[in-house]
Amino acid sequence: MSRMPVYLIALVLVIIACSLALLRHARLDIPFFPGQQRSLWLVEARVDFHAEGGEVTVSLDIPDSPPGFRVIMEQAASPGYGFSIIESNGDRRGEWTIRSASGSQTLYYKAQVVAVERSGEDSADPPPPPAGVFWDEPQATAADHLLARALATSSTPESLARELIKLLTAADPGQNAALLLSTHSLVEALDMLLRQAGVPTRLSRGLVLEDARRRQQLVPLIEVYSRERWVLFDPATGSQELPRNLLLWYQGGRGLLDVEGGSRSGVSFSMIEQTVPALELARAQMSPTGFAFFDIQHLPIEEQSMFKMLLLLPVAALVVVFMRILVGLRTSGTFMPILIALAFIQTSLLPGLVSFVAIVALGLLIRAYLSRLNLLLVARIAVLVVVVVFIICFFSVLGYRIGLNTGMTITFFPMIIIAWTIERMSILWEEEGYREVLIQGGGSLIVAVFAYALMKWPLINHLSFNFPELNLIPLALILLVGQYGGYRLTELWRFRAFENHAP
């Protein structure tokens, strides 16, 4: 029979597993390797003002989805004030309110932001025509001269903005530029010149992120509408590239800070860089919608613990298949080594080995005595189950008395499976002798140790739980190994004498 269907099924399983894992990594930002760290910024806005004794309403513009960053947590520290986040027409503001306040007031808004890959520029709806610009007579003449020079060497709104920035920031700006800058800031003069030329603009402000900085102010920026998108400019340098450490906080709209019922208001910013595990950060950003709807990490903790153990079974099954089909080890059944490996995870390796060997050895001795009583099979197994319970209780109490907790975890061994294993080994002893019992029992322990080592590998634990679809890869490998019909490694060792005497 052709093996092609098996190969195709295995290939499809691998493709599906890798595709889903890459999609989960891209959508949920779950790292592929355990222990990875991510840096995030804790930004604090401090609002200071003097309350006049009546009702107070404070409104601060806060970021929503700034380019290159994602807000993952925000809160306000404002004793006595009510706080709400209000969204209207794409403008997002934090609003504090109080019935009565007087004297100096301080409010805090904190946000945790993490850097993300910046996507392409989104298209924007055309803004309304720019408002008219009014200059004093000498400044109007100077503005006309500056615009004429800039228009002569530009062809698009972006190039016009660049040329104006060059004229206003030159080492020797000339009389026209100096006249405008004498009564207007650089960003205000640039904004008014562009609006006079009919170019829509909006004033923005950004926060330069530097670790452990206090009482910082926002950097003024300007955005120019061109080709159905907003283009950001730094008026001081003329750069259109948004720096990686610049958090765009304010993008036009209402004022940055509005205070009703108070005076002498101001806002300053402090920030600190923090390092957190990438996996915890990804979990904090997850919402139980979209691709994360079927994510295990939204289940209760008890069920998560159960799945974390169950999702290791495909790896253990792959080890069993590999050791039996390719290596040629004989084991006591197929599933028994997997159960032993799971028990080793609970008890640790050495105590688990000692406990398993002790329980099975005592069980075989008792089974040898039961065989003399000529009991039926069902009765013998039932007696063994009861005996195994007493043996486990004995080890539990003994471990507790001598200060070891290993005995308390022996109960993770499936009692029915152990009883049945003892029964099978005793029958095997009677039919094949003690040598076959040692071979199959030893093979089961060897396979369990290899499975335990692989299941305890942090990378396997991380991938199997956080990317459960990758368990399709062991399934594909099991299908491929199941098609193998050649010599096993142990058979090559047995027949080595023939190779030595070959002509």
Side-chain angles (χ1 to χ4, degrees):
M1 184 177 177
S2 175
R3 297 182 180 180
M4 187 58 64
V6 176
Y7 296 153
L8 290 177
I9 293 174
L11 179 61
V12 170
L13 290 176
V14 172
I15 293 175
I16 292 175
C18 295
S19 300
L20 290 178
L22 290 173
L23 184 61
R24 187 183 299 273
H25 173 72
R27 293 286 182 86
L28 305 181
D29 204 23
I30 298 177
F32 279 121
F33 298 96
Q36 288 186 344
Q37 301 287 317
R38 288 284 301 275
S39 63
L40 58 81
W41 291 90
L42 179 60
V43 181
E44 179 184 82
R46 170 174 172 167
V47 178
D48 295 292
F49 65 98
H50 183 83
E52 298 173 348
E55 297 179 354
V56 175
T57 300
V58 180
S59 179
L60 174 69
D61 191 273
I62 56 178
D64 183 10
S65 300
F69 292 90
R70 180 186 298 134
V71 180
I72 61 173
M73 185 279 296
E74 53 188 348
Q75 62 182 15
S78 47
Y81 282 79
F83 178 78
S84 301
I85 295 178
I86 302 173
E87 299 185 27
S88 176
N89 298 325
D91 191 20
R92 193 165 180 267
R93 305 183 71 85
E95 186 175 279
W96 292 266
T97 55
I98 194 171
R99 179 65 62 181
S100 176
S102 61
S104 297
Q105 305 289 310
T106 301
L107 308 176
Y108 294 95
Y109 167 80
K110 298 179 182 180
Q112 279 187 337
V113 298
V114 60
V116 297
E117 290 295 328
R118 290 177 179 169
S119 58
E121 296 289 342
D122 296 330
S123 59
D125 295 331
V133 178
F134 300 97
W135 305 92
D136 294 337
E137 181 54 36
Q139 293 181 342
T141 304
D144 290 339
H145 281 87
L146 285 175
L147 269 179
R149 290 181 58 186
L151 287 170
T153 56
S154 63
S155 59
T156 62
E158 300 104 301
S159 59
L160 176 60
R162 288 193 296 267
E163 293 301 318
L164 287 173
I165 291 174
K166 291 178 184 177
L167 294 174
L168 293 173
T169 59
D172 184 12
Q175 294 182 353
N176 294 326
L179 180 61
L180 297 183
L181 294 175
S182 63
T183 55
H184 298 85
S185 66
L186 174 59
V187 67
E188 291 174 345
L190 180 60
D191 175 60
M192 295 175 71
L193 287 169
L194 287 169
R195 287 194 285 118
Q196 182 175 336
V199 177
T201 62
R202 66 183 182 190
L203 298 179
S204 302
R205 299 185 187 182
L207 181 64
V208 179
L209 298 178
E210 297 178 356
D211 190 24
R213 301 287 289 180
R214 301 173 61 248
R215 300 298 179 92
Q216 299 298 297
Q217 299 298 319
L218 298 180
V219 177
L221 305 166
I222 189 169
E223 292 184 83
V224 176
Y225 186 80
S226 175
R227 301 173 185 175
E228 299 184 350
R229 62 190 180 94
W230 288 100
V231 181
L232 185 71
F233 284 90
D234 184 351
T237 62
S239 173
Q240 294 180 226
E241 182 70 22
L242 188 64
R244 289 287 180 182
N245 65 332
L246 184 67
L247 173 64
L248 198 57
W249 189 280
Y250 171 76
Q251 291 182 282
R254 294 171 55 185
L256 172 65
L257 176 65
D258 294 332
V259 177
E260 298 179 8
S263 59
R264 302 197 300 272
S265 62
V267 58
S268 60
F269 298 85
S270 303
M271 67 214 72
I272 187 171
E273 186 176 13
Q274 300 175 327
T275 302
V276 297
L279 182 58
E280 291 184 10
L281 184 60
R283 289 174 178 171
Q285 300 178 77
M286 274 187 205
S287 61
T289 57
F291 189 74
F293 181 78
F294 295 100
D295 197 88
I296 296 174
Q297 297 177 5
H298 288 109
L299 296 175
I301 298 298
E302 182 178 358
E303 295 187 19
Q304 287 189 43
S305 301
M306 178 190 67
F307 274 107
K308 191 169 187 178
M309 188 70 64
L310 289 179
L311 289 172
L312 292 173
L313 293 181
V315 176
L318 177 61
V319 174
V320 173
V321 170
F322 177 85
M323 297 297 286
R324 292 196 60 170
I325 295 179
L326 297 182
V327 178
L329 283 180
R330 284 181 287 180
T331 63
S332 179
T334 302
F335 200 58
M336 189 60 193
I338 300 177
L339 295 178
I340 299 174
L342 287 176
F344 287 167
I345 291 179
Q346 301 295 332
T347 62
S348 73
L349 183 58
L350 185 58
L353 279 171
V354 174
S355 302
F356 179 79
V357 172
I359 292 175
V360 173
L362 287 175
L364 284 175
L365 291 176
I366 296 173
R367 169 60 179 79
Y369 175 74
L370 291 176
S371 63
R372 300 180 181 180
L373 301 178
N374 295 323
L375 297 178
L376 296 176
L377 176 62
V378 176
R380 285 202 308 267
I381 295 177
V383 171
L384 282 176
V385 170
V386 176
V387 170
V388 167
V389 170
F390 280 105
I391 294 175
I392 289 176
C393 292
F394 171 77
F395 275 99
S396 298
V397 174
L398 179 63
Y400 175 76
R401 292 301 182 186
I402 63 177
L404 298 176
N405 62 352
T406 302
M408 305 302 292
T409 56
I410 294 175
T411 54
F412 283 94
F413 284 103
M415 292 182 295
I416 304 300
I417 299 297
I418 290 181
W420 184 253
T421 300
I422 294 172
E423 177 67 20
R424 287 186 59 188
M425 286 188 175
S426 62
I427 295 175
L428 188 65
W429 191 314
E430 294 174 356
E431 295 180 352
E432 302 291 339
Y434 73 92
R435 186 173 181 274
E436 190 65 24
V437 172
L438 293 178
I439 290 175
Q440 292 193 16
S444 297
L445 290 179
I446 292 174
V447 173
V449 169
F450 277 104
Y452 163 82
L454 200 58
M455 294 160 69
K456 285 292 288 184
W457 189 10
L459 180 61
I460 296 295
N461 271 269
H462 175 80
L463 293 178
S464 65
F465 182 69
N466 295 289
F467 298 91
E469 57 274 358
L470 289 180
N471 283 297
L472 294 176
I473 295 179
L475 177 58
L477 294 176
I478 290 173
L479 291 175
L480 294 177
V481 175
Q483 291 287 305
Y484 181 74
Y487 288 106
R488 298 175 174 86
L489 292 179
T490 53
E491 292 174 343
L492 294 176
W493 174 259
R494 287 170 54 196
F495 300 141
R496 69 188 184 282
F498 292 97
E499 181 181 1
N500 297 333
H501 291 87

